[in-house]
Amino acid sequence: MHHDVDERELWLRCFVPAPDSPTRLICFPHAGGSASAYHTLSVALAPTAEVFAVQYPGRQDRRNEPCIDNVPELLDRLVPLLSAPGDDRPLALFGHSMGATLAYEVARRLQELGGAAEPVIVFLSGRRAPHFERGETVHLRDDQGILRELDLLGGSVGAALRDPEILQMVMPAIRGDYRAAETYVHVPGPPLRAPVVALTGDRDPRASVREVEGWRQYTEGPFSQHVFEGGHFYLNDRAEAVQETVRRHLSALPVPGAGA
């Protein structure tokens, strides 16, 4: 059992413990991102939800571990940690960009397993629905080619990556994540039962409002979309509005065991 606890703490980071909150929210970072991307959201959402941010291998304090460069293996590692018995609070999922693909696929697997771990709501941000895939190959470019993509998307990476040492340190994780996102193949299956909330920036060069709205057909639960001003990393620039939107949806969830 000890090993499982270590594994869980390795993958799931809790910056603001809120054990009395009614919901657990698992957050999946974007390609090249790390758990700390969700630090401010963790602070903002307590005590509505206790946030656990996923730390993928190959970055920050896990940078000596090999990256996982494909979605199926990430799912194989994450799903058992999320479905393990122990904490029976309702589970909500949030993913941005590549993280949205993971949140959706984790939700599908947890739904298949059934039981307490089936998610009660899924937030999908900055990612077009699977039927809009464009067959991108950023992961095959050289380092400068990947940097050009990161510049196009904006975000805070640009300046730091001008330093060759930093670039050398983080590029394997960025390239591995892009490979995972770009080689991902959607296998059709039953729609989600949980409500899906799609979030998008109105000027995202890689996920248009219409493409993000496409997630509507992947759930039989309620669907809603929120469009924010900004590009791919609108959630950094519009942090408070995003936090408020997530909080509102989480607060509206039915309380387990509280009757109809």
Side-chain angles (χ1 to χ4, degrees):
M1 188 63 217
H2 174 66
H3 171 71
D4 291 347
V5 172
D6 289 350
E7 185 80 351
R8 194 172 301 169
E9 285 175 2
L10 202 56
W11 282 87
L12 301 173
R13 305 298 166 87
C14 182
F15 300 114
V16 185
D20 298 331
S21 64
T23 311
R24 293 179 292 157
L25 178 66
I26 313 298
C27 292
F28 301 82
H30 57 280
S34 51
S36 55
Y38 290 110
H39 188 274
T40 51
L41 188 66
S42 309
V43 174
L45 288 182
T48 307
E50 185 170 38
V51 173
F52 293 87
V54 174
Q55 185 75 303
Y56 309 128
R59 65 216 67 204
Q60 287 185 335
D61 57 346
R62 299 188 72 180
R63 66 174 171 267
N64 296 328
E65 298 175 58
C67 302
I68 296 178
D69 64 359
N70 65 91
V71 169
E73 193 182 335
L74 282 164
L75 296 174
D76 289 344
R77 300 288 296 275
L78 280 161
V79 169
L81 300 178
L82 297 175
S83 57
D87 189 334
D88 54 4
R89 286 178 294 171
L91 197 62
L93 306 177
F94 183 106
H96 179 65
S97 198
M98 174 186 90
T101 299
L102 281 172
Y104 164 68
E105 287 292 344
V106 164
R108 293 174 88 186
R109 286 217 188 169
L110 291 174
Q111 175 169 302
E112 222 173 286
L113 290 169
E118 183 174 333
V120 291
I121 190 166
V122 182
F123 297 90
L124 302 173
S125 162
R127 187 80 183 154
R128 52 190 182 271
H131 58 282
F132 286 113
E133 269 322 314
R134 295 176 184 161
E136 286 166 344
T137 53
V138 174
H139 70 279
L140 298 176
R141 298 180 189 177
D142 64 7
D143 289 359
Q144 292 309 311
I146 291 181
L147 282 181
R148 278 198 303 278
E149 174 71 10
L150 298 176
D151 279 340
L152 171 75
L153 296 180
S156 53
V157 284
L161 294 187
R162 297 290 171 263
D163 178 325
E165 276 181 44
I166 294 181
L167 183 64
Q168 204 180 342
M169 200 164 72
V170 300
M171 190 48 84
I174 296 174
R175 186 181 296 279
D177 287 354
Y178 266 98
R179 187 175 292 124
E182 293 178 340
T183 58
Y184 161 73
V185 176
H186 179 262
V187 180
L192 295 179
R193 290 190 282 262
V196 167
V197 180
L199 305 98
T200 178
D202 60 5
R203 296 190 302 281
D204 188 332
R206 290 286 178 256
S208 72
V209 171
R210 187 177 75 89
E211 289 171 326
V212 176
E213 203 265 341
W215 284 108
R216 179 186 296 276
Q217 52 187 277
Y218 294 81
T219 178
E220 54 191 32
F223 175 85
S224 52
Q225 183 174 21
H226 300 273
V227 180
F228 300 87
E229 199 182 312
H232 189 63
F233 286 103
Y234 74 89
L235 69 177
N236 298 339
D237 305 325
R238 298 280 169 268
E240 285 182 10
V242 172
Q243 292 156 8
E244 189 43 49
T245 300
V246 174
R247 187 185 298 112
R248 209 168 57 237
H249 281 281
L250 291 174
S251 302
L253 291 170
V255 179

